[in-house]
């Protein structure tokens, strides 16, 4: 029987699910609990959504299930998941993906005025009305007895309230077991296009790759998007798997299988895959894909400026951004590490296509990559 704990945070948009989930994950790991984190939105990016499932909840549920087996095999004690949910049927759908798990559902709440202010502040004014409707539905028919008000509290305060409410998994289960994942099984059917945008930390991988994904959807393609950083959050660090590439590659392959089963016919990937040997692990995990690997480069001064911008919180905020908030000597080390990484990737000859991003906008880069993908037969031209 599966005794791995699943702590699942639900709630309307603006309630603080992702931020709180990451803080809970971080606190558990610091206490010695072998923990993992899953952002429901990040494992559900396979569109267009099927009829009757506007928010793609079934795809998100399958995505959680795809990563669940990998985390269990890696020896995780507790998975912290963050993601909205609309109905009791959706809860049952998610639970079916993790049979036998020790699942606890916590709803995060916040009053209407603060929820609206949060959403507008992050540029999501279009979510104000849907969030209000979902919060009202939760009030009428709560899906869990565990409800935590996030209003007027810091993220860390809310994380502690959640853990005080549901209890903390015991630490001290020993070190991570060896990471031995079975080789990926072949996938039946024709090979499909894969675009992988890689490069040094801070160069702008997701900033370029995600618009390509959106262009594919606009052209009518059934496409999936996977950010490699979001499929392997497991802490404390495991010996024998530097960078977590063994776990990430396993989860990457499993998540793609889930998305392909949902109908995806093009895969867009962003993220660093380590050196050539590690990158081969990722590609071997998706044997049904015909890859186009694009490496983004930038001059050292431009890369330093982009790392600085990330440290100041400029750009899209994603869970686990280790550059955010850095200053002083820590920021200097991050800049030096990114510049060294860029030199190493160039020396290793990573990527069939190399694009210097120093003097080109993300929109220009994305349009050029999309056009190249179309020429290779990897998607229709955007309207």
């Amino acid at each position: 029987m599966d005794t791995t704990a699943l702590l699942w945070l639900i709630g309307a948009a603006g309630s603080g699910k992702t931020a709180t989930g990451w803080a809970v994950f971080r606190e558990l790991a610091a206490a010695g609990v072998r923990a993992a984190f899953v952002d429901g939105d990040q494992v559900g990016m396979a569109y267009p959504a099927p009829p009757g499932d506007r928010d793609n909840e079934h795809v998100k549920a399958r995505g959680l299930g795809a990563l669940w087996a990998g985390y269990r095999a890696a020896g995780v004690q507790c998975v912290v998941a963050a993601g909205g949910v609309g109905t009791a049927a959706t809860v049952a759908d998610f639970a079916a993906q993790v049979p036998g798990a020790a699942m606890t559902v916590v709803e995060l709440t916040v009053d209407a005025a603060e929820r609206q202010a949060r959403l507008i502040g992050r540029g999501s004014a279009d979510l104000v009305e849907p969030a209000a409707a979902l919060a009202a539905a939760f009030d009428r028919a709560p899906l869990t007895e565990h409800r935590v008000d996030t209003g007027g509290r810091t993220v860390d305060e809310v994380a502690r309230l959640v853990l005080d409410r549901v209890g903390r998994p015991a630490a001290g289960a020993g070190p991570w077991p060896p990471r031995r994942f079975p080789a990926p099984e072949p996938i039946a059917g024709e090979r499909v296009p894969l675009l992988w945008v890689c490069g040094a930390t801070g160069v702008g991988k997701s900033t370029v790759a995600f618009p390509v994904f959106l262009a594919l959807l606009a052209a009518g393609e059934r496409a999936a998007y996977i950010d490699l950083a979001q499929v392997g959050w497991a802490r404390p660090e495991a010996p024998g798997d530097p960078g977590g590439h063994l776990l990430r590659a396993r989860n990457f392959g499993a998540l793609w299988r889930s998305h392909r089963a949902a109908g995806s016919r093009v895969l867009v990937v962003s993220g660093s895959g380590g050196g050539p040997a590690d990158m081969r692990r990722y590609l071997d995990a998706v044997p049904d894909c015909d890859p186009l690997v694009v490496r983004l480069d930038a001059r050292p001064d431009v890369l330093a400026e982009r790392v600085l911008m990330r440290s100041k919180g400029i750009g899209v905020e994603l869970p686990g951004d280790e550059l955010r908030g850095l200053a002083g000597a820590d920021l200097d080390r991050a800049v030096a590490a990114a510049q060294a990484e860029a030199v190493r990737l160039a020396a290793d000859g990573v990527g069939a296509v190399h694009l210097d991003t120093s003097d080109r906008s993300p929109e220009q880069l994305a349009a050029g990559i999309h056009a190249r993908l179309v020429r290779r037969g990897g998607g229709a031209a955007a309207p």
Side-chain angles (χ1 to χ4, degrees), residues 287-334:
D288 60 322
C289 290
D290 180 18
L292 170 63
V293 180
V294 176
R295 188 185 81 233
L296 303 183
D297 296 319
R299 296 191 307 268
D301 61 309
V302 173
L303 194 56
E305 179 62 26
R306 291 176 183 172
V307 171
L308 176 62
M309 291 174 63
R310 283 261 297 274
S311 74
K312 294 180 176 180
I314 299 173
V316 177
E317 183 174 3
L318 291 174
D321 186 348
E322 295 178 349
L323 297 181
R324 192 169 290 258
L326 290 184
D330 290 335
L331 179 58
D332 291 340
R333 281 190 288 270

Side-chain angles (χ1 to χ4, degrees), residues 60-381:
K60 295 175 187 177
R62 289 173 58 95
L64 172 63
L67 270 58
W68 179 260
Y71 285 133
R72 283 191 60 212
V76 165
Q77 296 172 264
C78 179
V79 176
V80 181
V85 61
T87 66
T90 314
V91 172
D93 190 7
F94 273 71
Q97 309 302 320
V98 290
M103 185 171 76
T104 303
V105 180
V106 178
E107 181 198 343
L108 302 184
T109 66
V110 64
D111 68 60
E114 187 167 349
R115 181 175 59 246
Q116 178 172 319
R118 290 177 182 178
L119 291 172
I120 292 175
R122 73 187 199 196
S124 300
D126 58 313
L127 297 180
V128 170
E129 290 188 9
L134 182 57
F138 283 148
D139 286 339
R140 290 192 300 270
L143 298 178
T144 174
E145 61 180 326
H146 302 298
R147 307 182 84 193
V148 174
D149 187 351
T150 68
R153 297 186 169 106
T154 68
V155 172
D156 288 338
E157 286 172 342
V158 175
R160 287 191 289 272
L161 281 174
V162 169
L163 289 172
D164 290 344
R165 179 69 182 271
V166 304
R168 300 165 186 261
W176 291 99
R179 292 188 171 173
R180 299 190 182 97
F181 302 113
E185 297 180 1
I187 302 176
E190 63 179 344
R191 288 168 64 84
V192 300
L194 180 158
L195 168 68
W196 183 355
V197 179
C198 65
T201 300
V203 76
K205 299 179 289 294
S206 59
T207 305
V208 172
F210 196 69
V212 178
F213 169 63
L214 295 180
L216 289 167
L217 298 182
E221 296 289 348
R222 301 189 63 85
Y225 178 85
I226 298 177
D227 183 336
L228 294 179
Q230 300 299 322
V231 298
W233 289 124
R235 291 182 178 172
E237 292 292 330
D241 187 11
H245 293 299
L246 290 174
L247 175 61
R248 292 181 193 275
R250 182 270 163 208
N251 282 352
F252 167 60
L255 184 57
W256 165 241
R257 282 164 172 77
S258 176
H259 289 343
R260 179 148 194 187
S264 295
R265 293 297 175 263
V266 184
L267 173 59
V268 178
V269 179
S270 69
S272 297
D278 286 319
M279 292 189 71
R280 174 46 53 188
R281 287 192 180 96
Y282 288 96
L283 295 176
D284 286 347
V286 288
D288 60 322
C289 290
D290 180 18
L292 170 63
V293 180
V294 176
R295 188 185 81 233
L296 303 183
D297 296 319
R299 296 191 307 268
D301 61 309
V302 173
L303 194 56
E305 179 62 26
R306 291 176 183 172
V307 171
L308 176 62
M309 291 174 63
R310 283 261 297 274
S311 74
K312 294 180 176 180
I314 299 173
V316 177
E317 183 174 3
L318 291 174
D321 186 348
E322 295 178 349
L323 297 181
R324 192 169 290 258
L326 290 184
D330 290 335
L331 179 58
D332 291 340
R333 281 190 288 270
V335 168
Q339 292 170 336
E341 183 184 7
V343 171
R344 189 167 57 251
L345 292 173
D348 288 339
V350 168
V353 178
H354 314 143
L355 298 177
D356 190 327
T357 67
S358 301
D359 300 310
R360 301 172 68 186
S361 70
E363 293 77 17
Q364 290 173 319
L365 292 160
I369 293 172
H370 178 248
R372 184 184 294 267
L373 192 62
V374 170
R375 288 196 297 272
R376 292 178 88 245

